[in-house]
Amino acid sequence: MKHKHFPIIILAVLLSFSQVHGEENEVNFIEVSCNRLSDGGNTFYINGANCTYDGRLNRWDNSLIEEWFRLAAENGMNCVRIFACGESTSKNDTIKENGRVYQTGPGEWYEPAFKSTDYALYCARKYNVRIVFSLLTHTQSSQRYSTWAGLNDEGDFWNNETCKTYYKNYVRYLINRVNTYTGIAYKDDPYILAWEPGNEIDISTKKNGSAVDRTILDNWIWEMAGYIKSIDPNHLICSGTQGGYELRTNGEKWRKTHSDDRIDICSFHNYPLESQPNQTRDITEPVILRAISIAKSLGKPVFMGEYGISDKKSSSLGNCSTEEKEVWYRWFGEYATKFDLDGQMFWCWYRPDRPDIQGNGGGSGINPVASEHQELRNIIKNVSENLAAKSGAPIFSNIIPKEFSNFKVTTNGNNTKIQWETPTYNTGGSVSQQRAPLQFELRYDNTGESCTWGEMRYIKYFTIDDVSKTEITFNDIESDGVTPNHYYLRFRDNRENVWSSLSNRVICTSPQYTGIESTNIKELYQVNLHNSTLSINAGKKNIRCTIFSITGQPIMKFQTSGCSSYPISYQGVLLVVLDTPDGRLTYKFTNP
């Protein structure tokens, strides 16, 4: 009886195929404009997921692939990241069927794997989801290519011309491939958002576990990015770097990797609890802000290509409850919607035929169907809605926010007041009133000399819905524990995505104490350092004291009133900063 249903199946496939070809709206290739991702001149923000590494789509049947995409779109995702790579040293059919590798040897293509990827692109088109394809893994792929080339150490892969030829042959075959379901060549398909030369190449190691020289890795990334562009000028290139480790410090290696013009999009991966079970939001936050600052200084978009927290009982990516995981994912969502990130993709979106929330991919993912992950899916959907509200705004390269002056910062005890003039735009010589909401960012430097925006330290980000409002007061400005010497402010209209130039440089001021000149405020407080003991007499007033080394490293922080003494073990030059009801005072001592 099965043969009676065969024409119906063919008709269903043809009807679905005709929807892809004949009834779709024109789709733009995603481009870069004014350091933003651009969809036909309008902003485009990524919110999506990775396909789990140990369950790649090329191993699934078509019905499972389609359900995976359908559920991703249903939960608001507009982009997914997929590994379009896989190599084997065996020609055994069983291994090929189970692993669905793309290559069994140099230039030996395994068609079923490519057809699965064809179908993934067909589903992307059907459900309006873009794809970032990663073309190599820094572990398995480099090992396989090295074996084919007769190398004893996969660490030699990156500088070996034979391996480079094998890789380029594969890339050329894939990018020029014509999709069996859509009839469109990969290089001509706008549903591909970008290519990654490879995944996390920056943390590649040799056989003995030592790191591969970073210059060699950068040169490989740049060379392959250039090669991809030479055969496919339509699509963007993103780095695929891990980056998160380097961004925990100064991020200069990450900056160098992305400084090359052949890299269009900066990307990094962020697993806050990976080997750091006590990591907190305050510690993780600078990683994201540093990535944003570096990318924007290079004039490029930036997104988190992977991020995740594990609620698996045992995982290197963390070990927390599902409720704790929800808190982290809400926080990641804040960065996607409120800051300069151009998007994010969590690791990973599980297979929908596996309801176990432990899943695969280190337990850091989200199950598309499990009830335990319903709130996580709600969080992702909410982020998608917020990003959709930001997306679609025109990118104006000819509209430059005007620099605004008369910016002031005043402290009074724990309160910090920010004041500014009503900002305006300078458009072609004419000035027009700014539209709400306005986004402001406050930064500072402690150098005593001017420095670039990227070198300044982030303090506060806030939004104003009333354009006539010209001041706001905070009681939670800590400045990373360092007392700022100078403040700067900049703003933008949320729908324009172009920041203003910097405000005037401001030295923090304090209100005068009644009847006493501000220059004489120190006479109200007695502070002394003797025999490694700091003594403070604040009368009956509550004050906050922070002690720093001369390099700005926090040593102690406390609140006190009346007379108090504190032993100081640190030796060398100290800065003692008092935040008092009368203003901020700074003392310099030497503790021998």
Side-chain angles (χ1 to χ4, degrees):
M1 298 294 291
K2 290 183 179 180
H3 67 280
K4 294 182 179 180
H5 298 283
F6 187 72
I8 299 176
I9 295 173
I10 292 295
L11 177 60
V13 171
L14 289 175
L15 286 173
S16 179
F17 186 70
S18 67
Q19 291 175 352
V20 170
H21 280 275
E23 300 179 9
E24 65 174 13
N25 296 324
E26 182 179 353
V27 178
N28 301 302
F29 288 95
I30 300 299
E31 300 174 323
V32 172
S33 176
C34 294
N35 72 44
R36 289 290 180 194
L37 294 177
S38 170
D39 180 2
N42 295 325
T43 50
F44 181 88
Y45 291 92
I46 294 171
N47 187 51
N50 284 263
C51 179
T52 172
Y53 180 77
D54 54 356
R56 297 178 192 168
L57 290 182
N58 60 300
R59 302 177 183 178
W60 305 352
D61 61 36
N62 286 356
S63 62
L64 186 58
I65 294 174
E66 178 149 2
E67 183 67 359
W68 189 83
F69 271 93
R70 185 188 70 79
L71 290 169
E74 185 179 279
N75 284 274
M77 297 179 220
N78 64 358
C79 188
V80 293
R81 181 169 174 262
I82 297 173
F83 287 84
C85 53
E87 305 78 23
S88 175
T89 56
S90 172
K91 296 180 176 61
N92 183 281
D93 287 340
T94 301
I95 293 178
K96 289 191 294 185
E97 289 291 344
N98 291 341
R100 286 281 179 93
V101 296
Y102 290 83
Q103 299 180 79
T104 56
E108 297 177 359
W109 320 123
Y110 185 57
E111 184 62 15
F114 287 97
K115 281 190 174 181
S116 292
T117 307
D118 289 349
Y119 197 73
L121 263 173
Y122 162 80
C123 291
R125 184 173 290 263
K126 182 175 181 179
Y127 294 104
N128 196 27
V129 176
R130 309 278 183 153
I131 299 178
V132 173
F133 279 121
S134 192
L135 300 176
L136 175 135
T137 67
H138 72 282
T139 51
Q140 178 184 329
S141 295
S142 63
Q143 293 170 359
R144 296 292 186 264
Y145 282 118
S146 298
T147 299
W148 295 342
L151 303 178
N152 294 322
D153 192 329
E154 61 267 25
D156 296 330
F157 162 84
W158 310 101
N159 217 19
N160 182 271
E161 294 303 319
T162 299
C163 288
K164 289 180 181 179
T165 298
Y166 291 161
Y167 173 84
K168 289 178 179 178
N169 289 343
Y170 169 70
V171 167
R172 183 174 63 252
Y173 179 82
L174 179 69
I175 292 177
N176 286 320
R177 178 180 176 83
V178 176
N179 192 312
T180 55
Y181 296 95
T182 66
I184 301 173
Y186 279 45
K187 64 184 178 182
D188 297 324
D189 195 329
Y191 283 91
I192 298 176
L193 188 149
W195 302 106
E196 284 182 1
N199 174 61
E200 296 189 344
I201 293 171
D202 52 321
I203 58 173
S204 300
T205 60
K206 298 180 181 180
K207 193 171 185 178
N208 63 7
S210 62
V212 178
D213 182 85
R214 184 55 179 271
T215 300
I216 293 176
L217 297 177
D218 281 344
N219 287 335
W220 189 93
I221 293 173
W222 298 335
E223 179 182 344
M224 299 313 160
Y227 180 74
I228 294 170
K229 282 180 175 290
S230 72
I231 55 178
D232 178 8
N234 291 324
H235 291 106
L236 301 173
I237 305 294
C238 56
S239 65
T241 57
Q242 203 287 334
Y245 299 126
E246 295 165 359
L247 289 165
R248 291 172 186 172
T249 54
N250 58 23
E252 286 307 307
K253 290 182 179 179
W254 189 80
R255 177 195 292 273
K256 181 181 177 183
T257 301
H258 293 89
S259 64
D260 193 274
D261 290 340
R262 288 166 286 190
I263 303 298
D264 300 304
I265 309 173
C266 302
S267 65
F268 65 103
H269 300 167
N270 195 352
Y271 295 96
L273 302 187
E274 185 174 17
S275 305
Q276 297 185 105
N278 298 319
Q279 185 80 297
T280 65
R281 170 172 173 167
D282 291 339
I283 298 174
T284 308
E285 182 174 298
V287 170
I288 300 175
L289 292 174
R290 189 171 291 117
I292 293 172
S293 180
I294 292 174
K296 298 311 175 183
S297 72
L298 295 173
K300 299 182 180 184
V302 56
F303 76 102
M304 279 194 292
E306 296 179 17
Y307 71 92
I309 300 290
S310 178
D311 55 355
K312 195 172 183 178
K313 292 181 179 179
S314 177
S315 171
S316 63
L317 302 183
N319 182 10
C320 62
S321 67
T322 300
E323 291 74 18
E324 291 172 315
K325 181 174 179 176
E326 291 167 3
V327 172
W328 277 96
Y329 276 55
R330 287 191 190 95
W331 176 60
F332 280 123
E334 289 180 21
Y335 272 91
T337 56
K338 293 182 179 180
F339 287 80
D340 269 356
L341 271 181
D342 295 276
Q344 59 182 20
M345 291 191 282
F346 64 87
W347 184 276
C348 50
W349 192 231
Y350 290 162
R351 291 177 54 150
D353 61 338
R354 295 181 180 176
D356 179 11
I357 66 168
Q358 302 299 327
N360 41 22
S364 69
I366 299 177
N367 191 293
V369 294
S371 59
E372 294 95 328
H373 279 184
Q374 180 60 57
E375 181 58 26
L376 285 168
R377 294 195 294 272
N378 291 341
I379 292 169
I380 297 300
K381 197 168 186 178
N382 183 61
V383 172
S384 297
E385 292 171 353
N386 291 335
L387 287 177
K390 291 178 64 176
S391 294
I395 300 175
F396 298 111
S397 59
N398 63 331
I399 298 182
I400 307 300
K402 182 183 177 183
E403 178 180 331
F404 56 102
S405 58
N406 293 330
F407 159 55
K408 300 177 182 179
V409 178
T410 306
T411 61
N412 186 1
N414 292 338
N415 294 325
T416 302
K417 180 186 288 186
I418 312 297
Q419 296 172 289
W420 62 91
E421 284 188 344
T422 301
T424 56
Y425 259 177
N426 185 1
T427 309
S430 62
V431 176
S432 59
Q433 180 65 43
Q434 192 71 25
R435 299 176 302 171
L438 300 182
Q439 296 178 339
F440 288 84
E441 190 172 24
L442 181 68
R443 294 199 180 193
Y444 74 92
D445 76 79
N446 251 42
T447 62
E449 299 178 359
S450 61
C451 55
T452 66
W453 184 256
E455 293 171 332
M456 299 174 197
R457 302 185 69 172
Y458 161 82
I459 299 180
K460 196 75 175 178
Y461 180 94
F462 58 96
T463 300
I464 299 296
D465 293 321
D466 181 2
V467 294
S468 64
K469 189 172 183 178
T470 58
E471 69 176 49
I472 190 169
T473 300
F474 301 102
N475 60 10
D476 60 347
I477 291 184
E478 292 289 342
S479 313
D480 295 333
V482 178
T483 302
N485 284 340
H486 305 96
Y487 290 91
Y488 300 83
L489 194 69
R490 66 176 182 174
F491 78 95
R492 69 177 180 181
D493 181 322
N494 188 36
R495 287 158 291 190
E496 306 292 6
N497 294 302
V498 182
W499 285 102
S500 72
S501 52
L502 293 183
S503 69
N504 53 296
R505 190 164 180 250
V506 168
I507 298 177
C508 179
T509 61
S510 303
Q512 292 184 351
Y513 183 72
T514 304
I516 300 179
E517 296 293 331
S518 58
T519 55
N520 297 326
I521 289 178
K522 283 191 176 182
E523 296 179 2
L524 301 174
Y525 301 90
Q526 297 176 17
V527 182
N528 191 30
L529 180 66
H530 182 67
N531 292 333
S532 297
T533 299
L534 179 70
S535 60
I536 300 175
N537 185 348
K540 296 181 179 180
K541 297 178 181 179
N542 294 317
I543 64 171
R544 181 173 59 183
C545 179
T546 310
I547 304 175
F548 305 93
S549 70
I550 192 63
T551 60
Q553 180 69 29
I555 297 172
M556 292 179 64
K557 181 185 293 187
F558 54 85
Q559 289 187 339
T560 185
S561 62
C563 298
S564 53
S565 299
Y566 300 89
I568 305 296
S569 59
Y570 181 88
Q571 295 181 334
V573 179
L574 299 173
L575 297 177
V576 178
V577 179
L578 301 186
D579 282 309
T580 79
D582 308 299
R584 176 170 289 163
L585 304 176
T586 303
Y587 303 81
K588 184 176 180 181
F589 298 105
T590 300
N591 192 31

